[in-house]
Amino acid sequence: MMATTNNDEEGGGQRRRPRDLLKSYYGITEGSDAAPAASSLCDINGANFDPNVYLSKLLKERSLMELMDKEQEMVKHIKTLDSDMQTLVYENYNKFISATDTIRKMKTDFKKMEDEMDRLATNMSAITEFSGCISAALQDRRQQITKLSGVHTLLKKLQFLFELPARLQKCIEQESYSQAVRYCAKSRKVLHQYQHMPSFHGIQEDVKQIVQQLSFKLREQFRQKNSSPKQLAECVDLLLQLNEPAEELCEEFLSYARQKIDEDLARLEQEIRLLEAQGAASKGPVVADGSVPMDILEFVDCGCNGFLSNICLVIASYNDMFLNRQHEDEQLDAIAVKKLVHFVNELMKQYFDYVRQRVHLEHSTGDNTILVRSLDRFHRRLQAMNKLLPDTDFSRAGTEIVSKAARDRVSHYLLSLMQHLSDCLTDIRQSLASQNLVGKQEDRSANPSALLRKMSSSLTDQIKCVLSNLQTFIDSDITFAMKPYFHSTFCMHDVREGLVVAFIRHILKVSNEFCDGCGDKISAPPALLLILSRFCHDLEQSTIGYLLTLVDDQFLLDDSSKVTSSTELRNEARAAAQRLLNHYVQVQGLTISQMLRKSVETRDCLSSIEPRNVRAVMKRVIEDVTGIDSLVGQLYEEGIRTERTSDSTRRSYTYSNQRQASRSQWSYAPSTMDNSLMSNIQKLFSEKIEIFSKVEFNKVSVLTGIIKISLKTFLECVRLKTFGRYGLQQIQVDTHYLQLYLWRFVSDENLVHLLLDEIVGSAIHRCLDPVTMEPSVIELICERG
């Protein structure tokens, strides 16, 4: 145990040496005035730590196992501290080496600097001594040299003044007007100061005459038509330096600058007239004199590079000459600004008119890239002009032109879509005229379903193509495209409302005109009404939603509160489809009704012969109804039918027999009841049939409406005729033949039974000799027919 204690003391002594060295290096000293406390002696991290006291305390308070654990812990801490110390020494060692090298280099550099400073001091001493010698030698002649130098300068000035007229004359001969003006400006003050002296007065008079000649030359150059705006600016600047009246020069500068600018405007006007002549003659791009009109991009480039460049140069030169010069006359500044603004506004108004005319003449319906690029250059250049003339705002007028061009483009596309719709309807009418749509279709491409698909796909593709072309106006590289005042108005009001919604409503308006019978739409074929009805129905079901979603996605429309809703358009389309379908039913019902009416009115029902067959008009009615069924079936679904009876002719026989028996009783048995009264009583218990009821969008409903109108007309015509025996029997044969075929076309066969029974009943009432034909004979005649 004592050996362990000695070893600990030796280890503690070795560990204290580096700690003491570090303390001495950093200047940390231990206080020795007060005696350390007992607790601080046992603090291993404290400054007053005493290992002997700490060890004695451990031996007294800890067990053997605790002492062994403590020993292991201390060994572990010792190793950790040794490792940290080695790391610290290694890191500081590199820094110490670097610092030593730096100090050694600094010593070398300072030694060289000391040598150079010594040499500099020696040289300065020599210079000072030499300067003193020169000053001492020239001290007596300094004033004389200064006086001679002043006399020499004065003589040079006098020589310049005496030579001034000749120099000015030479500059005028060589057309060095700027140099002559500099000479005048340089000598003006001296000549004015000494003008009382005869010699200087003569020079001044000569200079005045030469200056007048110089002003005349400058004004001649100023008035030359081939002078550029830059040359005009130089002339005005020189005249101003010659003290010419500024206000007069303002007017002259603007007047002569306008001559050059008017040439640019005249060229633009000439291009417009060439294009108008080409449109009037319609002979291609080459006009009579062989000139080829510029396209819209070349026209705008010509205006920007010619007119706008020259007017910008005039504005910049005018600002430099009259507005940015250092003078104190504010009134002159106001007059100069007013003249410039009036000058620029008048020219820009004329330029804008030419641009509007040229854009309006752009009738091409192809790609808009060239038009949009030209408008973009036009808009960019106008924005740059506002910086030159802050008192004006040409970008607003330019934006109005761009917006008007976009609206005109949309309007032009809308007209082309309307024309395309008219062409599609004309093609359909021609196809329908060349084909017998009531009969069997031989050409599948000319059937109604194919015509409908062709028109629908053609119009949809045309709208998509137009929207794709109009997207050029909102490309990301177009300056005016992202401007709020253009983007929202163009996308929302022009494209969505002014093009897509307007065209959809135009389709619905044209469709409704077929129902109103306006103009050439009076003689529209019924099949066209049916095709348009199905087209409007498809618009309501899917096409409107697709087109509105397409335009909203392509033109980034978010706010739908200020636009026409899809629901509103679908309701309008459904109303148009319903009206067209109702009109189709009425037209077809009227056609068949006309045949039935003529067949009744033109026949002598009193002196008819005994019926041997079905009349041809009834066969024609069945053929027409069958053709209508085939036609409607190609465009609309079948629809819902009520359950049919097993024998569709049974009711007719029963009703006819009952009517015959009743008629016999009424004719031969005494009764107080009138026949018409009995008929009215029976109608009270029969089902009421609504002839002009709402037509659903299916085949069964359409055929039911047509057949109801036709049979109702047949019934009313029968009520107005008087029949003989064979006339009544012919009605029986005809109605039975209709019943054999018409029941399969309607939604409820009872409708056909009731209407046909009413026709037979009315004929019996209107018959003078009401003897009916046997059902078996009727069936035999119908089967043979």
Short mmCIF file of all heavy atoms in Angstrom, two decimals, residues 242 469 675:
data_model
loop_
_atom_site.label_atom_id
_atom_site.label_comp_id
_atom_site.label_asym_id
_atom_site.label_seq_id
_atom_site.Cartn_x
_atom_site.Cartn_y
_atom_site.Cartn_z
N LEU A 242 -23.61 81.47 -80.81
CA LEU A 242 -23.44 82.79 -81.42
C LEU A 242 -24.49 83.78 -80.94
O LEU A 242 -24.66 84.86 -81.53
CB LEU A 242 -23.50 82.68 -82.95
CG LEU A 242 -22.37 81.89 -83.61
CD1 LEU A 242 -22.60 81.76 -85.10
CD2 LEU A 242 -21.02 82.55 -83.33
N ASN A 469 -53.74 29.71 -82.07
CA ASN A 469 -53.17 30.89 -82.72
C ASN A 469 -53.21 32.11 -81.80
O ASN A 469 -52.28 32.91 -81.77
CB ASN A 469 -53.93 31.19 -84.01
CG ASN A 469 -53.65 30.17 -85.10
OD1 ASN A 469 -52.59 29.52 -85.09
ND2 ASN A 469 -54.57 30.01 -86.02
N ASN A 675 -127.17 10.22 -80.11
CA ASN A 675 -125.91 9.51 -80.41
C ASN A 675 -124.70 10.32 -79.99
O ASN A 675 -123.72 9.79 -79.47
CB ASN A 675 -125.86 9.23 -81.91
CG ASN A 675 -126.92 8.23 -82.33
OD1 ASN A 675 -127.44 7.51 -81.48
ND2 ASN A 675 -127.24 8.21 -83.62
#
